[in-house]
Amino acid sequence: RREACLTWDTVLMMPLQSAVFFSVFILCTFSVLNSAVHAHHPQLLRKQPKQQPVPNNERRTQLLLNQWRKHISLSRQTPDDDDSMPPYVLPPNTHYKVITKASPPFVFINEARRGNDKYSGYSIDLLNYLSLQMGFTYEIYHAPAGNNSANLLVSQIESSENGYNMSIAAFTITASRSRRVSFPAQYFDLGLRIIVKPAKEDPSMWQMFVPFTAGVWGAAVGAFFAILFSFVFFEAGTNDSEFRHNPTKNLFLGFYYTFQTVVQQMSVQAETVPGRIVLIGSTAYFFILAASYCAELTSFLTLTRVRNVIYDVNLDGTIDQSDLTSFTPVIAVLANSAVEDWFLREVLSASAADATYSRCYSFEECAELVRNGSAGATIFDGPVAEYLLVTRYRTLDLLGAAMNLQGYGIVLAQDDVFVNQFTDAILTARESGVTQGLYETWFPRKTSSSDSDSEDLQSTTLYELGGIFIILAAILGIAWCVYFVRLLLVKKKYIKDNHYENLETMQLSERVKMQQSLLEALNRDGRLPERTIRNRVLIKSALESSIRTDLKRCGYPSCVDLNIERLSKDHGDDDGRRRQPSATHSVHDDDELIPEFYRDKSSSSSRIP
């Protein structure tokens, strides 16, 4: 008993001992690895400062600025080390007096704040970045309303009026301005954009045909008749429940059945393999075609189709300054701006001698003239136009591509000795992705409807829907191949063609058994089995026998008048003798419903009208 207890205690302690041993092994391994890592990387032993969480409303640029603060502070601590100091760091106590103006989204002015804190925007964030990167200080002022055009601000920097030696907002770098002031490298690429108010296109009563091109409609009609003729050819000779023994009627019935397939409301039942293949392929084809049509029609009726006052005059595929020469009287241009200088130089000079245009004195005024219909279009710098159309003027739209590709730059005095340092710092900011980060922060994107919506409103071409026509052609080809293969096998007598089975040559006992099975199915299920040609022929034969028996009982022709001549046509000669059935003769083909008793009693006097 004691040995058993010791053994049992040992068994209970083994898992616990294993767990303790494994834990000690893990701790020792971790300690050894930790010591080895810190031996090769002693900087990891330093205590890392606690990272402060960034508020949700803090812009991406703040993270970039924080990274450069540490860089600038380290640079100033080691002035003798030329390798650690960026080449664009300015001397200590360098100060700039900056004048700006409201130019969303580059400059916003919040009068509720004081000092530099009242200014924000793309250009202001870039100025903060450059200040920390280059080590200068600045103080911002803004020009009073009515005296804040771009050219006037440039003039103040040129004359050093009120001690201003820098201006930043949204100044386009031009040749005329470069002769008066200095521009470092441009920090923002831009082009001029045309702003218009789109007008709704006049509706049309034939709008329902717009979703597809003429080629698609032609191919759809051709496919319709290909399905029609294929189905009639395969079914009309055998499917007497759906077709008649009249080619003209069969074509009309085929048209009706094919149209039912178009609207997915089929009542026809194919009885041949090729006919079933045609039905399957046509049903899938018309479903895909109808779904594509409905989707495109919904888009055309939902999206607003627009037309613009300004259009491509010279038909070169784009709307640019060469087209604007024909529409100068309806264009409003911002006065005393680089846009007006470009408009006078490139557009108005190429227009008629008496060409005129309208002047406006702020971005908002120009946009309002277009919105209320006083002007047909205005021209803005692309970034400003995109911002205004997204934030304030959503009913307006951009037209054409960017024109006169230029850029924004910082305005410095002509004699500023630090222009090259600003150029180096700006290029570094662009290469490191700082300017791209500022763009993503301040610019909601706006795409031109004439560039995007027009693609959405293009009619579907035959090439785009060609796949379903190819599939339909393949399915019809398969159906015809099946038909010819079956026809060949029947001719070679490898298979029996039940479509033209002659029940009169069948043994009587076999025909009775088949009719009994039909009667049993009718009594058991309350309906006949599947609809086939053989079943219909058997029912005709049964009716023939029933009519013969009933007529014998009542003593024909005393009990009923029948048009014997009509019922017995094509089944007997004038003398009442029965024609012998041919090899291809069948009840199905020749309407063999007339009992022999009728033909024997046939006379010209035994008729009913």
Side-chain angles (χ1 to χ4, degrees):
R1 183 183 303 173
R2 186 176 177 220
E3 292 177 357
C5 291
L6 289 175
T7 303
W8 183 249
D9 293 340
T10 303
V11 172
L12 290 176
M13 290 299 292
M14 284 180 63
L16 181 60
Q17 291 175 356
S18 300
V20 172
F21 176 79
F22 184 77
S23 300
V24 173
F25 175 78
I26 292 296
L27 291 175
C28 293
T29 304
F30 178 80
S31 300
V32 172
L33 292 176
N34 191 43
S35 301
V37 170
H38 287 299
H40 290 84
H41 302 280
Q43 66 274 17
L44 297 179
L45 293 173
R46 300 174 185 172
K47 184 177 180 180
Q48 300 293 332
K50 184 177 180 180
Q51 183 71 26
Q52 297 295 331
V54 180
N56 293 331
N57 59 354
E58 195 74 10
R59 300 182 180 91
R60 178 180 174 179
T61 51
Q62 189 62 39
L63 296 176
L64 300 173
L65 296 175
N66 290 339
Q67 296 175 2
W68 279 103
R69 281 197 191 96
K70 183 177 180 180
H71 174 70
I72 295 298
S73 62
L74 292 176
S75 300
R76 292 180 177 177
Q77 291 175 4
T78 58
D80 297 334
D81 190 359
D82 294 338
D83 294 336
S84 62
M85 181 178 294
Y88 37 74
V89 174
L90 303 184
N93 302 323
T94 301
H95 182 78
Y96 282 93
K97 189 175 182 180
V98 184
I99 185 170
T100 188
K101 65 169 186 172
S103 181
F106 291 91
V107 177
F108 296 93
I109 300 176
N110 185 358
E111 297 292 350
R113 297 185 178 182
R114 295 185 177 182
N116 292 343
D117 292 338
K118 70 167 60 175
Y119 305 99
S120 61
Y122 182 102
S123 297
I124 301 302
D125 278 358
L126 180 64
L127 181 62
N128 292 336
Y129 176 84
L130 295 176
S131 172
L132 293 172
Q133 184 179 7
M134 302 174 66
F136 66 87
T137 59
Y138 63 91
E139 190 174 1
I140 307 178
Y141 302 89
H142 66 273
N147 192 28
N148 61 353
S149 67
N151 289 335
L152 290 178
L153 294 184
V154 171
S155 298
Q156 292 192 36
I157 301 301
E158 180 185 12
S159 61
S160 299
E161 182 180 345
N162 297 324
Y164 296 123
N165 54 2
M166 178 189 288
S167 184
I168 187 170
F171 294 101
T172 303
I173 301 175
T174 63
S176 59
R177 289 176 179 175
S178 297
R179 289 190 289 267
R180 301 162 54 193
V181 294
S182 296
F183 286 99
Q186 64 187 41
Y187 61 84
F188 196 96
D189 301 324
L190 62 97
L192 301 180
R193 300 298 302 271
I194 304 172
I195 298 179
V196 297
K197 182 180 181 180
K200 292 183 178 181
E201 192 175 75
D202 297 333
S204 171
M205 66 171 57
W206 306 108
Q207 194 78 4
M208 61 180 178
F209 295 108
V210 175
F212 289 162
T213 60
V216 175
W217 286 116
V221 172
F224 179 90
F225 284 101
I227 294 171
L228 186 155
F229 288 117
S230 297
F231 187 71
V232 171
F233 183 85
F234 295 144
E235 292 291 320
T238 57
N239 192 346
D240 61 347
S241 64
E242 305 291 356
F243 291 93
R244 305 295 180 264
H245 296 284
N246 187 315
T248 304
K249 291 183 179 180
N250 287 340
L251 285 178
F252 280 105
L253 286 173
F255 184 90
Y256 173 70
Y257 296 145
T258 308
F259 186 79
Q260 282 186 328
T261 309
V262 173
V263 296
Q264 305 293 305
Q265 297 292 329
M266 290 185 303
S267 63
V268 62
Q269 294 187 17
E271 294 186 352
T272 63
V273 174
R276 290 166 183 165
I277 294 176
V278 170
L279 278 186
I280 293 173
S282 61
T283 302
Y285 159 76
F286 285 123
F287 176 80
I288 297 174
L289 189 67
S292 302
Y293 173 78
C294 292
E296 290 294 324
L297 181 63
T298 302
S299 300
F300 270 82
L301 297 181
T302 302
L303 295 177
T304 302
R305 303 193 68 190
V306 298
R307 55 181 173 83
N308 297 299
V309 177
I310 299 176
Y311 57 90
D312 186 6
V313 177
N314 51 20
L315 302 178
D316 60 355
T318 59
I319 298 177
D320 51 24
Q321 64 191 49
S322 62
D323 301 305
L324 295 180
T325 58
S326 303
F327 305 99
T328 56
V330 299
I331 298 177
V333 181
L334 182 64
N336 300 322
S337 65
V339 176
E340 187 178 32
D341 295 339
W342 169 84
F343 186 81
L344 293 173
R345 183 179 67 254
E346 302 292 340
V347 178
L348 202 64
S349 62
S351 304
D354 56 347
T356 60
Y357 69 99
S358 301
R359 301 184 76 192
C360 47
Y361 296 90
S362 67
F363 294 118
E364 291 77 9
E365 181 184 354
C366 294
E368 283 294 337
L369 290 177
V370 176
R371 184 162 65 177
N372 61 30
S374 300
T378 187
I379 304 172
F380 281 176
D381 290 339
V384 178
E386 291 181 5
Y387 180 81
L388 290 177
L389 265 59
V390 170
T391 57
R392 297 183 58 182
Y393 301 97
R394 298 180 182 274
T395 58
L396 305 182
D397 208 345
L398 300 178
L399 180 64
M403 306 174 295
N404 190 37
L405 300 179
Q406 291 181 317
Y408 286 155
I410 300 174
V411 181
L412 297 175
Q414 188 72 41
D415 57 352
D416 195 309
V417 297
F418 301 124
V419 175
N420 293 333
Q421 284 83 342
F422 275 96
T423 296
D424 291 342
I426 292 173
L427 293 177
T428 302
R430 297 193 66 166
E431 292 172 359
S432 60
V434 173
T435 54
Q436 180 62 29
L438 295 178
Y439 181 85
E440 294 174 357
T441 300
W442 289 102
F443 281 87
R445 296 305 303 272
K446 169 72 175 181
T447 57
S448 172
S449 65
S450 58
D451 296 335
S452 60
D453 290 349
S454 60
E455 296 180 359
D456 296 337
L457 294 175
Q458 292 293 331
S459 300
T460 303
T461 63
L462 181 60
Y463 180 80
E464 294 171 335
L465 289 178
I468 62 173
F469 291 101
I470 294 175
I471 295 174
L472 176 64
I475 293 175
L476 293 180
I478 293 173
W480 280 98
C481 289
V482 171
Y483 171 79
F484 286 115
V485 169
R486 187 178 182 281
L487 187 63
L488 180 63
L489 294 177
V490 170
K491 279 192 173 184
K492 297 293 184 180
K493 298 184 178 180
Y494 290 114
I495 61 174
K496 183 179 180 182
D497 190 1
N498 293 326
H499 295 156
Y500 300 96
E501 186 175 11
N502 187 3
L503 294 182
E504 292 185 358
T505 61
M506 185 182 299
Q507 292 185 0
L508 182 60
S509 59
E510 183 178 355
R511 186 165 56 179
V512 170
K513 289 181 180 179
M514 295 172 64
Q515 291 175 342
Q516 285 180 343
S517 63
L518 284 177
L519 181 59
E520 292 175 357
L522 180 62
N523 292 333
R524 181 181 67 253
D525 303 328
R527 59 182 178 84
L528 291 174
E530 62 176 339
R531 186 175 61 178
T532 62
I533 296 175
R534 172 177 288 186
N535 289 344
R536 289 198 300 273
V537 172
L538 289 172
I539 293 173
K540 292 177 182 179
S541 176
L543 290 174
E544 175 185 338
S545 300
S546 176
I547 293 173
R548 182 186 298 111
T549 303
D550 290 342
L551 288 177
K552 286 182 178 180
R553 289 177 179 176
C554 70
Y556 175 81
S558 61
C559 63
V560 64
D561 273 345
L562 292 177
N563 193 338
I564 302 300
E565 183 176 317
R566 176 178 61 84
L567 293 175
S568 59
K569 70 175 181 177
D570 295 334
H571 291 279
D573 297 329
D574 294 339
D575 56 359
R577 290 175 299 175
R578 181 170 183 176
R579 186 181 61 187
Q580 296 297 324
S582 61
T584 59
H585 179 75
S586 70
V587 176
H588 169 67
D589 285 334
D590 296 332
D591 293 331
E592 184 70 58
L593 291 174
I594 312 304
E596 184 179 355
F597 181 76
Y598 288 178
R599 291 188 291 271
D600 294 340
K601 300 295 184 180
S602 177
S603 65
S604 59
S605 61
S606 302
R607 299 180 182 179
I608 59 173

